[in-house]
Amino acid sequence: MKTTNTINTTKNSYPTFIANNKGAYLVFVPDLDIYTEGNSLTDAIAMARDAIGIKGITLEDDGVSIPNPSTSDQAIEKAH
């Protein structure tokens, strides 16, 4: 009997806050407690995407469940 491994390919979208502070784009992803930044909006989005991926891999490697995304209202509350 042949055994196949399955890979979870579910993708989530996490509420993300981006603020422009004197030309630096600051990023916060409250569900994953991630802070990063970029030199432009495009760079900030790319940095956030990378940081979310790295955080997910780290959590999986540590045997910790990746949290489900919050609603936008929940994320705003977490950000306060």
Side-chain angles (χ1 to χ4, degrees):
M1 183 159 133
K2 194 175 196 179
T3 307
T4 31
N5 293 332
T6 58
I7 298 173
N8 183 354
T9 58
T10 303
K11 292 187 179 189
N12 290 317
S13 296
Y14 290 94
T16 303
F17 299 93
I18 301 175
N20 183 346
N21 184 19
K22 299 178 184 175
Y25 290 82
L26 309 174
V27 181
F28 177 50
V29 185
D31 289 328
L32 300 172
D33 198 30
I34 292 172
Y35 296 87
T36 190
E37 63 183 306
N39 296 322
S40 67
L41 181 57
T42 302
D43 186 40
I45 292 168
M47 295 296 286
R49 177 189 234 156
D50 289 347
I52 291 167
I54 290 168
K55 180 75 173 209
I57 291 168
T58 301
L59 290 173
E60 285 182 340
D61 287 350
D62 292 344
V64 177
S65 296
I66 298 171
N68 290 321
S70 297
T71 65
S72 59
D73 288 339
Q74 291 168 332
I76 290 168
E77 188 64 34
K78 287 180 183 181
H80 284 179

